[in-house]
Amino acid sequence: MNFALKPIKPKRISDQVFEQLRELVFRGQLKPGEQLMPERELAVALDVSRTSVREAINKLVVMGLLEQKQGQGTFVRIPETRERNPLAAAMETQGASLQGLLEVRMGLECNAAAMAARRAQDSDILFLQQSLEEMREEVCSGRLGTEADVSFHMAVSYATKNPVQVYIMRGFYDFLFYGIKENLFHLYEQPEQIESILSQHTLIFKAIRDHDPERAMKAMQQHITYVVEFFRTRKDKNQPQA
């Protein structure tokens, strides 16, 4: 054999801690603004050293997922304060629009739904179900439920088992749900709109749960088309009359 083999190196404990905390943030289980438990308690809960926890947290701070406040602790960073979001840069410098963003979402998420239907495991189905239930609870409590909506779509991304999909969608939803939340408020402010959105998410969930890629793709397409048409109609209504 002419090629050289490299020895397999065991994954560092701090990297495992980092991956677990990062996933909690990406899935929305640790929400923006939420405080992490102290290093000491994290170390006990994870059965690792405080040094490993500290190294993992430092990496997440560098990534912009966490922030440390002097004398207060470590918090999940609010997406609005994150810098260098490539989608935000595109919107600011390339004349991109909400309509354009939603068109990209159509391609990314319809394909993701189909992949998720093929690859979703029991844990993925559970995350989807929990996010859907959280959306309903938020709405029933008089809130908008946008963060639960983010968690649902991130659960779809995780179910694809494609890390590139996860990273792209994380940045996408940071920007979509927090960078232009004024527009999203209009989508969620009417009860009939909220009920429609909940029904659409339920159809997506059921298709993925049933491992039906074609039905999952179609359900996601119908959901995003609904959002696109809502904003198109709203824009037309707000156009000055000739």
Side-chain angles (χ1 to χ4, degrees):
M1 292 187 295
N2 296 323
F3 53 87
L5 295 175
K6 296 180 180 179
I8 302 298
K9 296 180 180 179
K11 188 175 290 187
R12 295 172 58 198
I13 297 297
S14 62
D15 289 340
Q16 296 180 58
V17 175
F18 163 77
E19 290 171 1
Q20 190 169 157
L21 293 177
R22 181 187 61 185
E23 182 168 342
L24 290 173
V25 174
F26 277 1
R27 284 190 182 276
Q29 291 178 283
L30 282 172
K31 301 186 184 304
E34 186 173 343
Q35 185 175 8
L36 268 66
M37 63 177 70
E39 282 183 9
R40 180 183 63 259
E41 295 179 23
L42 273 173
V44 172
L46 295 168
D47 193 22
V48 299
S49 69
R50 290 185 64 177
T51 300
S52 294
V53 170
R54 191 175 301 115
E55 289 177 0
I57 288 175
N58 287 340
K59 285 179 66 175
L60 291 164
V61 169
V62 171
M63 284 182 65
L65 294 175
L66 300 179
E67 62 179 334
Q68 294 174 317
K69 298 181 180 179
Q70 187 68 33
Q72 298 181 49
T74 304
F75 297 80
V76 179
R77 195 168 185 180
I78 297 173
E80 288 173 301
T81 67
R82 292 184 196 163
E83 300 175 351
R84 299 185 298 278
N85 184 315
L87 288 169
M91 292 289 285
E92 292 171 1
T93 63
Q94 302 298 323
S97 65
L98 176 60
Q99 180 75 23
L101 207 57
L102 289 169
E103 288 173 359
V104 172
R105 181 180 170 186
M106 181 74 78
L108 283 172
E109 295 203 66
C110 290
N111 187 48
M115 284 193 292
R118 294 187 186 97
R119 303 172 183 174
Q121 299 173 344
D122 289 345
S123 58
D124 298 306
I125 301 300
L126 180 60
F127 274 118
L128 284 165
Q129 185 175 2
Q130 289 173 339
S131 297
L132 193 56
E133 290 171 355
E134 185 180 346
M135 285 178 67
R136 292 190 180 281
E137 289 172 4
E138 288 284 298
V139 169
C140 289
S141 299
R143 296 183 289 271
L144 296 180
T146 51
E147 287 187 2
D149 196 327
V150 172
S151 296
F152 179 89
H153 286 274
M154 284 308 300
V156 173
S157 291
Y158 265 96
T160 67
K161 309 304 178 188
N162 185 327
V164 178
Q165 177 80 23
V166 172
Y167 276 107
I168 291 174
M169 293 311 298
R170 179 69 268 176
F172 187 93
Y173 275 98
D174 277 356
F175 185 63
L176 180 62
F177 276 83
Y178 296 96
I180 50 174
K181 62 184 177 183
E182 181 180 349
N183 282 319
L184 285 163
F185 175 79
H186 294 289
L187 178 62
Y188 285 88
E189 67 183 347
Q190 301 171 5
E192 63 272 21
Q193 301 288 358
I194 295 175
E195 284 303 317
S196 295
I197 290 168
L198 284 171
S199 296
Q200 292 158 19
H201 282 80
T202 301
L203 290 175
I204 296 167
F205 164 72
K206 289 181 176 179
I208 294 174
R209 179 199 63 191
D210 296 342
H211 299 286
D212 188 330
E214 185 175 347
R215 184 154 56 96
M217 177 179 282
K218 184 176 180 181
M220 184 66 80
Q221 183 180 40
Q222 290 174 339
H223 170 55
I224 299 173
T225 298
Y226 179 89
V227 178
V228 169
E229 289 302 320
F230 172 83
F231 283 113
R232 181 180 293 145
T233 301
R234 184 172 179 274
K235 181 179 178 181
D236 291 342
K237 286 181 180 178
N238 291 334
Q239 289 286 353
Q241 299 297 316

